[in-house]
Amino acid sequence: MARARAVAPRVGSPDAFDLDGFARHIAARSAATRRAYRADLEDAVAWLGRLGVDRPSAVTRVQLRRYLASLQTRGLARATVARRAAALRAYFGWLERTGATGADPTAGLTAAVAGSRLPRLAGRDELERLLDAPLDPDDPVLVRDRAVCELLYAAGLRVAELCGLDVGDVDLAGRLVTVTGKGDKQRRVPIHDACAAAVAAWLVAPRAALARTTSPTAALFYNRRGSRLGPRDVRRLLEARAGGPLHPHALRHTYATHLLEGGADLRVVQELLGHANLTTTQVYTHVSKERLQRVHRRTHPRG
């Protein structure tokens, strides 16, 4: 029997751009980042292919600038365009370091800066509906939902971090939660007594009521099917309790803003949020200033 010959990537095909190799290079990044970068690069490769560009070494900076401009004409959000530019820079930087290309065509490449829109905060009425609504202790879903809302607001968790929590990550006696964030970095975040009580109430019996024989035994939260609670489940339960659209990230924004308004040091808030860079945390100082200005205008006699 003839031995099959290894087939080299066909020039002009997506394989010629070795996106699988780049995916292995960024394996340490979060799953969400890996998925986004892969989709971003596949879109760019398809667009370049329509120009007749069949390999990464043939890509020019002018072409990439035209590609980013085309995204804006397609109506993509500025933050999305900025992320796609970041994906291109990471990809071509990797190619240059590995010697697969000569000059990096993304050198000096910029995209529209993501908008300066301030983060959406949860209002007082929304927080009251999320945290203080009447609770039927015999309804396991309501008990779970209260615990979820308390944890999101008490610890400023990303929704993926909350969904990834295991029972062993919560130290109720010590009032601490061990969180695995972006890049699999762990941090320990304190929680208050009301949050600990809500989680304890969930762990007593309601959690077992939602469990199935196929449920992951370590998972802290289950959905109605007994699977690990997912981000979509969290978004649905928040909107149901808040009585309108409310993204889980709004509670994280509210948590950070309330800490800073209460006098917390910015670097402490950075550690609590799990931000790699202080500049990411600094947006919340602008939120606080905006609120102070609104209060001043509303209350000062000449405001």
Side-chain angles (χ1 to χ4, degrees):
M1 181 181 294
R3 180 177 298 176
R5 291 183 301 170
V7 179
R10 180 170 56 87
V11 173
S13 73
D15 290 341
F17 285 79
D18 194 14
L19 299 187
D20 289 337
F22 178 68
R24 291 189 293 272
H25 169 66
I26 61 171
R29 301 204 184 189
S30 71
T33 298
R34 296 197 304 272
R35 286 193 299 268
Y37 276 23
R38 179 64 182 246
D40 293 344
L41 292 171
E42 287 177 349
D43 183 81
V45 168
W47 188 90
L48 290 165
R50 292 193 289 273
L51 296 182
V53 179
D54 57 8
R55 59 194 184 281
S57 59
V59 177
T60 68
R61 185 164 63 124
V62 171
Q63 291 165 345
L64 294 181
R65 290 179 63 183
R66 288 177 57 194
Y67 169 68
L68 294 177
S70 75
L71 299 179
Q72 297 176 19
T73 61
R74 283 157 53 182
L76 272 66
R78 286 182 292 178
T80 302
V81 178
R83 190 199 66 218
R84 293 201 178 185
L88 289 167
R89 285 193 294 270
Y91 170 69
F92 281 101
W94 168 69
L95 289 177
E96 184 183 33
R97 289 191 297 275
T98 58
T101 61
D104 180 357
T106 65
L109 184 71
T110 59
V113 178
S116 59
R117 182 179 57 184
L118 296 176
R120 153 90 155 93
L121 302 181
R124 179 179 298 178
D125 291 344
E126 289 174 318
L127 288 176
E128 288 178 354
R129 288 193 291 270
L130 293 176
L131 306 175
D132 300 324
L135 179 65
D136 179 359
D138 296 324
D139 187 329
V141 172
L142 292 181
V143 176
R144 179 206 64 191
D145 292 355
R146 170 69 66 81
V148 165
C149 293
E150 286 282 5
L151 258 180
L152 284 173
Y153 178 57
L157 304 182
R158 301 178 178 95
V159 65
E161 294 172 345
L162 177 127
C163 294
L165 286 176
D166 290 336
V167 174
D169 294 327
V170 182
D171 177 5
L172 294 177
R175 302 291 191 266
L176 290 170
V177 178
T178 301
V179 183
T180 302
K182 292 183 177 181
D184 290 332
K185 294 180 180 179
Q186 286 193 336
R187 66 185 190 278
R188 301 188 76 188
V189 183
I191 58 176
H192 50 66
D193 291 348
C195 177
V199 175
W202 157 250
L203 290 174
V204 173
R207 180 175 176 273
L210 289 186
R212 304 288 185 270
T213 55
T214 57
S215 297
T217 57
L220 177 60
F221 292 115
Y222 297 139
N223 60 22
R224 293 175 184 267
R225 299 178 302 279
S227 302
R228 183 184 286 272
L229 194 71
R232 288 185 181 179
D233 300 315
V234 177
R235 285 194 289 271
R236 282 194 292 264
L237 75 85
L238 284 182
E239 292 182 356
R241 289 177 72 89
L246 182 67
H247 195 279
H249 227 61
L251 291 179
R252 179 172 164 87
H253 294 323
T254 307
Y255 163 84
T257 303
H258 287 177
L259 287 178
L260 287 169
E261 290 178 347
D265 182 82
L266 187 64
R267 289 198 176 274
V268 172
V269 176
Q270 176 193 0
E271 291 294 325
L272 292 172
L273 291 174
H275 286 161
N277 298 310
L278 188 62
T279 53
T280 309
T281 317
Q282 286 175 331
V283 65
Y284 298 107
T285 64
H286 302 310
V287 174
S288 299
K289 289 176 183 176
E290 283 282 314
R291 182 176 181 275
L292 288 173
Q293 289 172 345
R294 288 197 303 270
V295 171
H296 180 271
R297 288 194 296 267
R298 187 174 64 249
T299 59
H300 195 279
R302 300 178 70 87

